[in-house]
């Protein structure tokens, strides 16, 4: 009796006398796979390019929309007394009875320090951003400083600072009392500017 369990079986394609020629095995679908890989790669690159370009386009559109909305908001703030193009020039009169005006009314000048501030933990306004160039930068303010006084006005919050700067006259020197991040105090001279 012959034991077949212990005899090794030949590998597929290497059977003796199997009718096949010895040599490398043919793979008829290899060319199709190569073509499919190339197609997939090209399609992936195309999709990646479309996604990148659409992201850039959306970012540009978003920045434009945000910029335009801020511009419109600034115009509304600068011209609060004007009700729009169809509003009468004087209350109680109709547009037909008023004479056309040739010169627009002057826009009030608003002073600025060119910085961004938030409420400090204690009294004062903490400077979180300084515009370069700007009056605050020129005076020597840096991020992390706490403004304590603006001229003769005591600053307890960022709102106090905003009101004090709005009341200041552009082009006139103002003395600022500042507490630096290191804990030292300093008096700086700033000249509020105008946003154009």
């Amino acid at each position: 009796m012959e034991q077949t369990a212990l005899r090794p079986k030949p590998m597929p394609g290497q059977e003796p006398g199997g009718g096949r020629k010895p040599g490398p095995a043919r793979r008829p679908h290899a060319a199709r796979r190569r073509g499919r890989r190339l197609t997939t790669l090209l399609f992936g690159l195309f999709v990646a390019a479309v996604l990148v370009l659409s992201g850039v386009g959306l970012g540009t559109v978003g920045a434009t929309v945000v910029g335009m909305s801020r511009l419109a908001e600034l115009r509304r703030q600068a011209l609060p007394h004007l009700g729009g193009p169809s509003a009468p020039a004087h209350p109680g009169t109709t547009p037909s009875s008023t004479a056309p005006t040739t010169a627009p009314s002057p826009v009030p000048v608003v002073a600025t320090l060119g910085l961004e501030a938030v409420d400090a933990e204690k009294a004062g306004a903490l400077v979180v951003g300084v515009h370069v160039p700007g009056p605050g930068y020129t005076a020597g303010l840096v991020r992390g400083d706490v403004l304590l006084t603006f001229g003769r006005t005591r600053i307890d919050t960022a709102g106090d600072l905003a009101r004090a700067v709005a009341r200041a006259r552009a082009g006139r020197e103002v003395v600022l009392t500042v507490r630096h991040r290191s804990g030292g105090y300093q008096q700086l001279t700033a000249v509020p500017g105008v946003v154009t």
Side-chain angles (χ1 to χ4, degrees), residues 75-90 101 104-107:
R75 284 185 181 167
R76 269 184 264 137
Q77 288 175 356
L79 304 171
H81 55 13
L82 296 179
S86 63
H90 301 287
T101 59
S105 61
V107 177

Side-chain angles (χ1 to χ4, degrees), residues 97-195:
S97 66
T98 60
T101 59
T102 57
S105 61
V107 177
V109 176
V110 179
T112 182
L113 274 181
L115 54 90
E116 298 164 17
V118 296
D119 293 344
E121 290 179 13
K122 298 178 184 176
L126 175 66
V127 177
V128 294
V130 180
H131 297 195
V132 178
Y137 176 78
T138 305
L141 290 172
V142 294
R143 200 170 92 206
D145 287 349
V146 177
L147 279 134
L148 301 172
T149 62
F150 182 87
R152 293 183 179 167
T153 307
R154 180 179 169 180
I155 305 297
D156 290 325
T157 64
D160 292 342
L161 176 64
R163 284 186 288 277
V165 171
R167 283 192 304 265
R169 293 191 59 189
R172 293 236 174 134
E173 289 186 352
V174 177
V175 176
L176 308 172
T177 303
V178 178
R179 182 177 65 232
H180 294 291
R181 186 180 292 178
S182 63
Y185 291 84
Q186 185 178 8
Q187 287 194 334
L188 303 172
T189 302
V191 180
V194 179
V195 176

